[in-house]
Amino acid sequence: MWLALCTVFPTLWSVIYGFNEQDLPAVSGQPNGDRFKIEGRAVVPGIRAQDWISSARVLVEGEEHVGFFRTDGSFTVNDVPFGSYVLEIVSPAYKFEPVRVDITSKGKMRARMVNYIKTSEVIRLPYPLQLRSSGSPSYFLKRETWGWTDFLMNPMVMMMVLPLLIIVLLPKVVNTNDPEMRREMEQSMNMLNPNHELPDVSEFMTKLFSSKSSGKSGSSSKTGKSGPMKRR
Amino acid sequence: MDVLARFLVLLSAVLALAAAVFEDQVGKFDWRRQYVGKVQFAYFDTQTQASKKLLVATDQNVIASINSRTGELLWRQLDKSGSEGYIDATLFHGQDAVVVSGNGRFLRSWETNIGGLNWEMVLDTGSFQFATFIGVQDTVKYVAVLKETAISLHYLSNGHQKWVENLPDSETVTYQLVYSGGNGIVYVLGLTTRSHLTIIAYNLEDGEILSQVLVQCPWIVSLHSNCAIVGEGNLVCADSETRSLYTLALETGRTLTQVTMQSLDLSLEEGFQPHIIATQPNPALNAHAQFFLQLGPHHYSLLQLQQDIISPVRDFQQTLLVTFATTGDKTVAVVVSSKNQTAYNINLFSADSGRRLLDTLTTVNLTPGEGPLVKAYVHAFLKKDDSVGYRVLLQTEDDSLIFVQQPGKILWTREEALADVVSMEMVDLPLTGTQAELEGEFGKKADGLLGMVFKRLSSQLILLQAWISHLWKMFYDARKPRSQVKNEVTIETLARDEFNLQKMMVMVTASGKLFGMESSSGTILWKHYLPGIHRTASLKLVVQRTTAHFPHPPQCTLLIKNKESGLTTLHVFNPIFGRKSHIVPPVLSRPVLQSLLLPIMDQDYAKVLLLIDDEYKVTAFPSSKNVLQQLQAIASSIFFCLVDAEQGKLSGFRLHKDLTTEQIWEVVIPTEVQKISVVKGKKANEHVHSQGRVMGDRSVLYKYLNPNLLAVVTESVDTHQERSFVGIYLIDGVTGRIIHEAVQRKARGPIYVVHSENWVVYEYWNTKSRRNEFSVLELYEGTEQYNSTAFSSLDRPQPPQVLQQSYIFPSPISMLEATITEKGITSRHLLVGLPSGAILSLPKMFLDPRRPEVPSEQSREENLIPYAPELPIRSEWFINYNQSVSRVKGIYTAPSGLESTCLVVAYGLDIYQTRVFPSKQFDVLKDDYDYVLISSVLLGLVFATMITKRLAQVKLLNRAWR
């Protein structure tokens, strides 16, 4: 009954490079050992420190150690034993990147980027810490709004509307009364449409429109006029 | 490339599934209440007349500034929780608040306008005793901190140390007081219990000992409660044995002068330890010459000490509280006495003469359900005509704060008990009167056919009437601006809504106060204080009868277990109105080990609660004959499991027909190696919709749905990073069979576990890689189900297949819970409380042990996300956007009437309530549903058909004419 069928996938590729920091223990040091402090400064571009620090805190490895901001935006986390910690600035309104701070047993400090996958990778950051907010976090999803532009920019609608426009407007733009032009057009038409048995799309469309407009008069008379011309 | 593209498409499909908040939904169905905790120190900023700041420091290690006009928080800063951040002392001066915390480890000065630090100092180790301001020449310049063995002086402006001196004979003498009258001498007072008093005078400038005096006083016990410094450096002590007061001038005195209380016409109540309450308005000047002597629980006397002679000023009988308040150069004595059960009188007296000040009587009427008053903080100010006006902050035994203005107007109330919620339940709201009438119709049958028809019609008529009035109200409200249409929820208008989204939140707090809150708005509808509950008592709330059984009222039972005696008492109440039920709970003479809520009900539809005491005897509540019969009938299928974490023992019991018990199994986890940290079963109200998962090859993988499964998590006793481990055992609670066992090496707690359906998710700290990791276990029966109709723990020959996968989580966590819905069709999300105060809604899809490392055609068809080691945290997934919830202690999830919607309450220091839609709102129209567009399109189409019809007719006619 102890033998349950276990299908445990090998996971978590923790690649270990030659980790050269023997003096860095993973657990925080003995309680009666030396205590160190982590110092730094945080900046939110364009915002004065006193406007955001009252809702912000510095958390080291969860709530294991807590630091507060001074009125100028600098902070000190006191009473930290040696070890390696992830320092994070929490503020509901501004986003900061977390930083890993290594403290050796002799009190040497080093700050580097947090990389949870390759834990020993070192991309150094300045110490005392200089943290800059990357703006406000985006908490909200955008509503899908319905606007005329969305409708018009839809590819299906574009595919429908553009040829229509061409059919309606092109005969107006191109002077079909010019005989040379007409000849050219006829030539190109023939080139485009070598198979005379297939019904011509444009012809079909013009037919359709002329027949529809024949019921009415006036405004659509021009298209009606251009229809038979093209047919010739 | 193709694979990548497909992966991206898949991922985006997944992301679209995740719950998130739209900007226009802010505050629509969510709310947050922020609290600070039980106030230990409070101070009114009296710098300017218009100042509205009230500064508080609390037992939750919070320092905060409250707007004294509205009761809202201006700012709040949270120190580490627990003893490491405990606030020992708080001193206020001008714009600065000086806080000593962590048993004298930190000395911080806060800028009270902004809520930022002026400076922070780390002090030497040593047990904290006392802190005070020290002034020179009328200005406050230094902070003195007294520790067990040393005294240190710091500059108020920058925190730097001026001097530190070791205290002589600190092994035998406990130093407790520091006093300075602003004359350049710092007195440190210490005592050796029942022997002598030590007075050391230090030079303020360099810390040199000027004099050291020993005074014999064999009766002395403590300086804090029995003694105080009064007037120009006189120590006044009260002794209950000799019934006398002792005075001593610090500067010159060598012996104590005894004055019997009798000679002052004072009578000390029998067996009462007298208290002295004195005041020193300005630390740079001498203390006030007047002081209060407490002679009994409700008896105080105002005395004064002038020219070494004590004389009585005024006697106060039947008084609850006394305190001093100072404004300008006037010092007044504030006296609070009780008028009746809920009303209190507050009076001001001149401290110098003892005369009552005119027009200072304030009568405060508290709402019922509050505890007795324990403290009063007074903000006195000078009015234009030079008379003294005041406002009072009253604190009750259940931590609530009431701010009162003259004459007796309550400006605001803060229920600080809610900062420490221990347990909560959500109860459905009752039906309205008309709905209830309709329900009642089906109950009776003896009316005959005609009567029934008539009744039916009349109730339908009532419904119609209600509907019309509802429509009228909607129409009426629609004309008013939106901000004004705030439906006031009162206990009378409570009614269940269409989708059962509104519920009653019953909150149990550590102070022993119960609250009933309406879930959609957070309005407190009732409160009930249970006096005499110790803060360490463990409280458990069970819902015995829901609102579904009209006309029986709903019923909740609170089990209160005293930590010291181990005895349990029951409090039975109605969760909708908060009233105590008339049902008499059983008296339990033995400590209760375990309580079980059985699915069987008595004739009044109350679920049966089984209580197992330390002799393994069972008590049933309610215990009517009907219940006992039912119990006997099903006794053979009742099993229970007891966990003794201290001895590492899990034992299973069965119930006999005569309500005796028998142990049937025992699992011992050796405590020398590991200790049990979490035991988690499944939620009783959980539904699982699908019995299996359809795989890519169209076969079905059946889930192993064992309702009796317990997840037991252990931690190693050895905490060394190389040797520590976390063990997880899945144990069947009926048979004691260990279904699965796994060990996570190089891991340690804190461990958070969620156990639901066929999966267990747990989170731990990886000591080697220094990161938090999630691990998921899923149990499957395989492609064939053994018995599809019912699950029996006793008849399961095949062990389940167990799949496991782990992931990195890029943040520590403070709480873990899973969403729950009515029928379990909606996909599940995990709600993860982060230390930043955000609550992350993480789709369970990301924690699926079948996530493939290399995606295949089949896995893609199953919608499995390819394995990635790191779980994402997106700010769009924070269900509480910027409304961070500090120190989340619990997340409560409850299903609503809508399958898509799960109600979530996160509680800790703050309370946050919201709704989540793990698979989006698939069963209701969206909030932004465009009624205008759809109706205009419809109308347009109707018109278009009409016009075209007309045109077609004309055309046909024309063709016919042709």
Side-chain angles (χ1 to χ4, degrees):
Chain A
M1 80 179 183
W2 294 79
L3 267 175
L5 246 175
C6 297
T7 329
V8 184
F9 284 120
T11 53
L12 287 185
W13 37 297
S14 52
V15 188
I16 299 298
Y17 298 107
F19 193 52
N20 53 356
E21 304 144 52
Q22 263 72 44
D23 47 350
L24 268 183
V27 242
S28 36
Q30 288 71 44
N32 50 3
D34 279 345
R35 297 292 178 129
F36 306 99
K37 59 183 177 185
I38 304 170
E39 287 177 312
R41 175 185 289 274
V43 182
V44 180
I47 310 283
R48 286 185 306 163
Q50 42 189 278
D51 294 338
W52 63 271
I53 54 164
S54 67
S55 57
R57 275 199 302 168
V58 184
L59 297 185
V60 176
E61 215 67 77
E63 227 190 19
E64 222 171 278
H65 302 279
V66 179
F68 300 103
F69 284 99
R70 274 186 282 272
T71 45
D72 60 350
S74 63
F75 63 86
T76 309
V77 185
N78 279 308
D79 218 15
V80 184
F82 68 90
S84 174
Y85 305 92
V86 174
L87 180 141
E88 209 174 351
I89 291 174
V90 294
S91 162
Y94 302 101
K95 203 164 62 181
F96 291 91
E97 287 296 315
V99 181
R100 187 175 278 284
V101 178
D102 301 327
I103 310 171
T104 65
S105 55
K106 293 180 187 75
K108 259 192 194 166
M109 313 286 281
R110 169 176 84 174
R112 56 187 169 113
M113 298 251 275
V114 177
N115 190 336
Y116 284 110
I117 296 172
K118 294 181 200 163
T119 46
S120 54
E121 188 191 53
V122 178
I123 300 170
R124 286 194 83 134
L125 292 170
Y127 184 88
L129 300 169
Q130 297 288 329
L131 299 165
R132 219 179 149 75
S133 167
S134 53
S136 303
S138 60
Y139 289 121
F140 304 111
L141 285 188
K142 274 258 166 63
R143 280 252 188 237
E144 289 165 30
T145 49
W146 197 89
W148 286 105
T149 45
D150 296 344
F151 177 73
L152 289 178
M153 295 320 252
N154 189 325
M156 287 302 280
V157 175
M158 295 247 282
M159 267 165 67
M160 296 281 286
V161 169
L162 272 179
L164 248 171
L165 278 179
I166 290 167
I167 291 161
V168 176
L169 291 179
L170 209 68
K172 274 200 217 172
V173 176
V174 184
N175 189 0
T176 40
N177 285 333
D178 185 10
E180 262 181 53
M181 193 67 154
R182 206 185 298 161
R183 210 173 300 129
E184 242 175 68
M185 268 178 70
E186 258 167 45
Q187 269 177 5
S188 61
M189 279 294 199
N190 286 340
M191 268 178 42
L192 270 173
N193 203 3
N195 193 352
H196 287 274
E197 267 116 83
L198 269 175
D200 187 2
V201 183
S202 61
E203 207 170 301
F204 173 74
M205 290 300 268
T206 38
K207 219 189 257 174
L208 194 89
F209 270 85
S210 60
S211 66
K212 201 177 184 180
S213 57
S214 67
K216 296 180 236 163
S217 56
S219 65
S220 57
S221 63
K222 270 175 198 162
T223 37
K225 232 183 265 170
S226 66
M229 259 175 232
K230 215 174 180 181
R231 214 177 294 160
R232 250 181 288 158
Chain B
M1 193 61 212
D2 182 44
V3 173
L4 185 73
R6 271 169 193 242
F7 171 65
L8 283 178
V9 168
L10 199 79
L11 199 67
S12 59
V14 166
L15 298 187
L17 254 175
V21 189
F22 293 107
E23 193 150 11
D24 51 280
Q25 289 180 324
V26 165
K28 214 167 167 185
F29 43 73
D30 65 314
W31 50 263
R32 176 179 68 163
R33 298 279 178 281
Q34 286 186 302
Y35 298 99
V36 292
K38 181 189 179 183
V39 170
Q40 309 272 50
F41 305 94
Y43 171 79
F44 288 97
D45 180 26
T46 48
Q47 286 288 294
T48 55
Q49 194 75 47
S51 177
K52 293 184 223 162
K53 264 185 314 190
L54 164 65
L55 297 163
V56 292
T58 71
D59 70 337
Q60 299 277 343
N61 309 348
V62 170
I63 170 152
S65 174
I66 295 172
N67 184 334
S68 67
R69 301 290 191 276
T70 60
E72 279 158 19
L73 285 180
L74 294 171
W75 56 263
R76 182 180 73 174
Q77 289 285 5
L78 281 78
D79 204 341
K80 251 195 269 190
S81 51
S83 64
E84 281 182 78
Y86 186 79
I87 295 174
D88 300 309
T90 314
L91 306 165
F92 300 98
H93 180 258
Q95 298 299 333
D96 302 334
V98 178
V99 176
V100 185
S101 62
N103 200 6
R105 187 71 177 143
F106 294 104
L107 181 66
R108 295 195 180 101
S109 168
W110 293 93
E111 158 59 59
T112 56
N113 286 329
I114 304 169
L117 269 185
N118 285 325
W119 45 262
E120 174 176 314
M121 283 286 143
V122 186
L123 305 181
D124 295 332
T125 48
S127 167
F128 172 80
Q129 292 293 337
F130 193 74
T132 185
F133 280 131
I134 303 235
V136 201
Q137 289 152 358
D138 295 2
T139 50
V140 178
K141 273 199 174 153
Y142 310 103
V143 185
V145 180
L146 183 71
K147 297 258 188 124
E148 222 168 22
T149 55
I151 176 172
S152 58
L153 218 67
H154 299 262
Y155 291 96
L156 182 60
S157 54
N158 55 15
H160 290 304
Q161 201 169 37
K162 187 174 167 73
W163 49 260
V164 59
E165 290 295 326
N166 281 329
L167 296 163
D169 307 325
S170 57
E171 303 87 49
T172 53
V173 184
T174 35
Y175 293 92
Q176 290 184 337
L177 269 182
V178 179
Y179 173 81
S180 168
N183 51 3
I185 302 168
V186 181
Y187 295 101
V188 178
L189 280 73
L191 62 87
T192 310
T193 307
R194 302 210 171 269
S195 162
H196 60 268
L197 193 69
T198 311
I199 302 165
I200 306 169
Y202 284 98
N203 187 341
L204 178 62
E205 287 311 313
D206 50 11
E208 188 191 334
I209 293 180
L210 298 174
S211 67
Q212 188 171 351
V213 183
L214 287 184
V215 182
Q216 290 302 320
C217 47
W219 44 267
I220 202 151
V221 182
S222 162
L223 281 172
H224 281 306
S225 52
N226 311 72
C227 297
I229 311 275
V230 173
E232 292 163 4
N234 294 302
L235 180 73
V236 178
C237 289
D239 177 38
S240 58
E241 279 167 32
T242 53
R243 290 173 174 267
S244 47
L245 292 168
Y246 294 88
T247 59
L248 172 82
L250 292 178
E251 212 163 327
T252 54
R254 290 287 177 271
T255 50
L256 289 156
T257 324
Q258 186 179 5
V259 184
T260 57
M261 289 188 194
Q262 210 164 9
S263 69
L264 296 167
D265 247 358
L266 301 171
S267 60
L268 184 70
E269 274 178 42
E270 205 57 54
F272 185 78
Q273 276 291 329
H275 268 270
I276 291 183
I277 302 155
T279 180
Q280 188 182 11
N282 187 345
L285 296 174
N286 277 322
H288 222 267
Q290 282 77 23
F291 61 96
F292 273 111
L293 175 68
Q294 188 177 8
L295 297 158
H298 300 299
H299 185 197
Y300 294 84
S301 183
L302 184 64
L303 306 171
Q304 73 173 349
L305 178 76
Q306 250 154 5
Q307 280 99 41
D308 297 335
I309 297 162
I310 296 180
S311 53
V313 178
R314 193 177 174 127
D315 197 49
F316 295 99
Q317 299 272 5
Q318 298 306 317
T319 300
L320 279 180
L321 299 166
V322 292
T323 182
F324 287 105
T326 306
T327 172
D329 53 352
K330 278 192 185 173
T331 297
V332 290
V334 182
V335 176
V336 183
S337 54
S338 74
K339 199 174 166 192
N340 55 41
Q341 281 288 312
T342 57
Y344 298 92
N345 279 336
I346 305 167
N347 267 305
L348 250 56
F349 293 85
S350 159
D352 301 325
S353 61
R355 252 186 320 109
R356 209 174 79 90
L357 298 176
L358 288 175
D359 298 327
T360 55
L361 172 72
T362 300
T363 306
V364 193
N365 285 300
L366 299 188
T367 48
E370 306 278 2
L373 292 186
V374 289
K375 225 165 183 179
Y377 303 93
V378 181
H379 175 205
F381 51 87
L382 286 176
K383 290 193 206 160
K384 282 193 187 102
D385 57 351
D386 219 29
S387 63
V388 180
Y390 66 103
R391 299 187 188 95
V392 192
L393 180 71
L394 299 170
Q395 187 179 4
T396 61
E397 203 172 77
D398 53 81
D399 308 346
S400 64
L401 297 176
I402 301 138
F403 192 66
V404 187
Q405 195 176 26
Q406 272 178 292
K409 191 185 164 205
I410 294 176
L411 283 183
W412 49 263
T413 308
R414 285 185 71 91
E415 294 292 350
E416 290 303 337
L418 286 169
D420 202 355
V421 174
V422 190
S423 162
M424 71 164 288
E425 283 292 340
M426 270 186 169
V427 184
D428 293 350
L429 291 181
L431 302 162
T432 56
T434 48
Q435 285 169 322
E437 193 133 316
L438 217 78
E439 289 287 316
E441 187 190 327
F442 300 108
K444 302 162 230 161
K445 280 188 183 124
D447 274 341
L449 192 69
L450 209 70
M452 293 278 273
V453 169
F454 185 71
K455 224 176 197 175
R456 186 87 272 255
L457 284 176
S458 69
S459 54
Q460 287 302 78
L461 214 72
I462 292 169
L463 272 188
L464 186 74
Q465 204 182 345
W467 187 63
I468 289 169
S469 68
H470 174 72
L471 277 187
W472 170 248
K473 193 168 175 288
M474 256 173 65
F475 174 71
Y476 193 74
D477 283 349
R479 295 189 304 172
K480 282 195 275 186
R482 229 192 172 171
S483 56
Q484 281 182 21
V485 191
K486 265 273 170 185
N487 282 341
E488 275 290 302
V489 190
T490 58
I491 210 142
E492 286 82 32
T493 60
L494 269 188
R496 200 179 299 178
D497 62 330
E498 245 175 311
F499 299 126
N500 203 2
L501 292 166
Q502 265 172 290
K503 295 199 180 195
M504 177 65 88
M505 292 159 58
V506 182
M507 318 278 266
V508 181
T509 64
S511 67
K513 201 173 187 185
L514 309 181
F515 290 90
M517 284 168 118
E518 197 273 328
S519 73
S520 68
S521 64
T523 323
I524 295 173
L525 293 176
W526 58 263
K527 43 196 173 189
H528 185 85
Y529 178 56
L530 299 172
I533 291 183
H534 202 260
R535 283 191 193 249
T536 55
S538 63
L539 305 162
K540 189 184 174 188
L541 186 65
V542 280
V543 182
Q544 280 195 294
R545 193 193 295 128
T546 61
T547 32
H549 306 286
F550 187 82
H552 299 291
Q555 181 183 329
C556 275
T557 301
L558 179 69
L559 288 99
I560 307 151
K561 185 173 182 179
N562 191 316
K563 268 277 151 67
E564 276 123 50
S565 64
L567 290 178
T568 303
T569 47
L570 302 183
H571 173 70
V572 187
F573 63 101
N574 179 335
I576 302 298
F577 302 107
R579 281 193 291 264
K580 194 172 181 209
S581 170
H582 54 82
I583 297 164
V584 185
V587 178
L588 303 159
S589 51
R590 309 259 352 145
V592 169
L593 294 178
Q594 175 81 289
S595 66
L596 300 172
L597 193 65
L598 297 182
I600 59 168
M601 292 182 189
D602 71 346
Q603 68 275 20
D604 291 340
Y605 305 101
K607 280 186 186 163
V608 176
L609 189 68
L610 273 193
L611 302 159
I612 297 125
D613 63 23
D614 63 347
E615 285 173 342
Y616 309 113
K617 290 221 175 70
V618 171
T619 315
F621 170 65
S623 56
S624 61
K625 214 171 170 192
N626 176 307
V627 170
L628 294 177
Q629 275 173 1
Q630 284 190 60
L631 266 180
Q632 273 182 12
I634 63 156
S636 58
S637 61
I638 297 178
F639 297 85
F640 58 90
C641 171
L642 297 177
V643 182
D644 188 343
E646 262 164 46
Q647 293 175 27
K649 207 165 71 178
L650 291 114
S651 35
F653 292 81
R654 63 184 293 180
L655 196 67
H656 285 297
K657 278 196 181 352
D658 53 348
L659 296 189
T660 53
T661 56
E662 178 198 0
Q663 182 170 337
I664 47 173
W665 59 268
E666 188 176 59
V667 173
V668 178
I669 291 165
T671 45
E672 307 85 64
V673 186
Q674 50 191 336
K675 58 175 196 295
I676 298 172
S677 59
V678 190
V679 178
K680 272 262 169 115
K682 289 178 191 176
K683 274 195 184 178
N685 61 346
E686 181 183 88
H687 289 271
V688 182
H689 180 69
S690 79
Q691 293 289 308
R693 283 176 65 164
V694 182
M695 296 200 291
D697 58 359
R698 298 290 179 278
S699 63
V700 176
L701 192 58
Y702 286 101
K703 294 174 181 171
Y704 178 79
L705 296 167
N706 182 351
N708 311 317
L709 197 66
L710 295 172
V712 180
V713 180
T714 61
E715 280 178 64
S716 62
V717 176
D718 189 352
T719 53
H720 186 272
Q721 54 151 319
E722 288 294 322
R723 294 188 294 271
S724 67
F725 65 88
V726 166
I728 180 147
Y729 302 87
L730 301 180
I731 297 176
D732 189 304
V734 170
T735 59
R737 178 183 299 168
I738 298 178
I739 306 287
H740 178 68
E741 167 183 40
V743 166
Q744 207 90 36
R745 290 194 191 286
K746 289 171 188 166
R748 67 172 160 87
I751 295 161
Y752 300 91
V753 187
V754 170
H755 184 190
S756 178
E757 287 188 30
N758 64 329
W759 48 265
V760 179
V761 170
Y762 58 100
E763 198 262 11
Y764 54 88
W765 170 258
N766 183 330
T767 52
K768 188 178 180 194
S769 307
R770 292 187 291 250
R771 63 191 176 201
N772 290 283
E773 287 175 8
F774 265 103
S775 197
V776 57
L777 284 168
E778 280 195 6
L779 290 91
Y780 290 99
E781 280 194 20
T783 46
E784 248 155 73
Q785 219 166 357
Y786 179 71
N787 178 357
S788 59
T789 48
F791 188 94
S792 168
S793 288
L794 304 170
D795 179 29
R796 279 284 131 162
Q798 265 129 30
Q801 296 175 16
V802 182
L803 310 180
Q804 182 165 20
Q805 217 169 46
S806 300
Y807 315 88
I808 300 164
F809 191 68
S811 167
I813 76 170
S814 56
M815 200 61 225
L816 191 64
E817 190 52 75
T819 60
I820 185 166
T821 52
E822 181 89 31
K823 297 270 179 276
I825 299 167
T826 310
S827 59
R828 308 289 295 269
H829 277 202
L830 290 173
L831 300 171
V832 187
L834 305 180
S836 63
I839 296 164
L840 179 79
S841 178
L842 184 70
K844 168 70 180 54
M845 224 172 178
F846 280 97
L847 293 157
D848 183 345
R850 301 188 62 246
R851 281 175 70 175
E853 278 177 275
V854 182
S856 66
E857 197 64 50
Q858 289 192 355
S859 76
R860 240 171 268 139
E861 203 164 319
E862 267 188 80
N863 256 348
L864 293 175
I865 313 160
Y867 182 77
E870 196 167 333
L871 292 172
I873 294 183
R874 279 158 210 280
S875 52
E876 288 92 345
W877 293 352
F878 293 161
I879 58 169
N880 56 341
Y881 46 106
N882 65 357
Q883 306 283 300
S884 39
V885 191
S886 301
R887 289 203 201 125
V888 180
K889 260 194 342 196
I891 298 175
Y892 181 87
T893 52
S896 72
L898 280 177
E899 172 55 32
S900 67
T901 312
C902 168
L903 304 174
V904 176
V905 181
Y907 56 89
L909 190 59
D910 305 336
I911 298 174
Y912 181 77
Q913 189 276 146
T914 191
R915 297 171 193 165
V916 291
F917 319 101
S919 302
K920 290 202 166 176
Q921 284 177 285
F922 58 79
D923 47 6
V924 274
L925 286 181
K926 269 187 251 164
D927 278 339
D928 62 339
Y929 190 76
D930 207 336
Y931 294 94
V932 179
L933 182 81
I934 205 97
S935 44
S936 61
V937 164
L938 264 175
L939 276 177
L941 280 173
V942 167
F943 276 114
T945 37
M946 278 160 73
I947 290 163
T948 42
K949 195 180 169 192
R950 175 85 190 132
L951 286 177
Q953 275 175 350
V954 169
K955 197 174 172 183
L956 274 175
L957 196 67
N958 283 350
R959 199 172 282 171
W961 276 107
R962 203 178 279 166

